[in-house]
Amino acid sequence: MEPSNDVAACGLFCGACRAFRKGSCAGCLADRGHDWCKVRRCCLEHGRRSCAECTTMPLDACKKFNGPIGKLFALVFRSDRRGCIERIRAIGAEAFAAEMRQAGCYNRPVKKP
C-alpha cells in the first residue's frame, strides 16, 4: 500500500491545510513548493518520511526541527509538532493520519488515556 502524503515531515497533519484539502498541494513531501523547509529537506535527503523515523539525534538536539520556523508554526497554528512526532512514533504515520481525520484535531495529537 502506498503511504498517503497527508503527514508532513515535521509531523503536522496536512489535512489541516486548506490548499491540501482543495487539491492544490500534494502534501509536504511531494510538493516542490515546500523546498524552503529544512526539516523536509533533511527527511528527503535521509530517506525518511518524517522526523519520527530519525535515529541520528534526539529531537531536542535537532536545530532544524527546533528552529525559528518551527516556533513560528507553533505560535501561528497553535500546533504541537513534537507531540505529533511522538504520536507517530507510537502508532505509525497512517494510524496517526487516520486519527487526525477522525478527530478533526489537526495541529495537536489526539490524547489517548
Side-chain angles (χ1 to χ4, degrees):
M1 179 168 97
E2 184 72 22
S4 63
N5 289 326
D6 51 4
V7 176
C10 67
L12 292 180
F13 178 62
C14 294
C17 173
R18 188 176 309 150
F20 182 84
R21 289 192 311 264
K22 289 167 80 177
S24 58
C25 176
C28 165
L29 295 174
D31 193 321
R32 296 288 315 217
H34 301 288
D35 284 346
W36 56 268
C37 179
K38 291 179 183 178
V39 172
R40 175 189 180 274
R41 197 173 325 132
C42 180
C43 285
L44 289 174
E45 286 171 2
H46 292 94
R48 296 182 186 113
R49 183 172 174 188
S50 77
C51 295
E53 297 173 2
C54 182
T55 57
T56 305
M57 70 180 72
L59 207 51
D60 289 338
C62 180
K63 291 183 181 180
K64 292 174 184 157
F65 186 83
N66 296 300
I69 295 293
K71 291 176 182 156
L72 179 64
F73 269 60
L75 179 67
V76 172
F77 298 111
R78 297 180 341 131
S79 62
D80 179 8
R81 296 180 321 143
R82 176 178 310 287
C84 291
I85 290 296
E86 290 171 5
R87 189 70 182 145
I88 293 166
R89 285 179 174 166
I91 66 171
E94 296 304 316
F96 171 77
E99 220 174 56
M100 295 295 100
R101 281 190 294 274
Q102 183 178 18
C105 181
Y106 297 136
N107 297 314
R108 301 182 161 290
V110 174
K111 303 282 188 213
K112 293 292 182 180

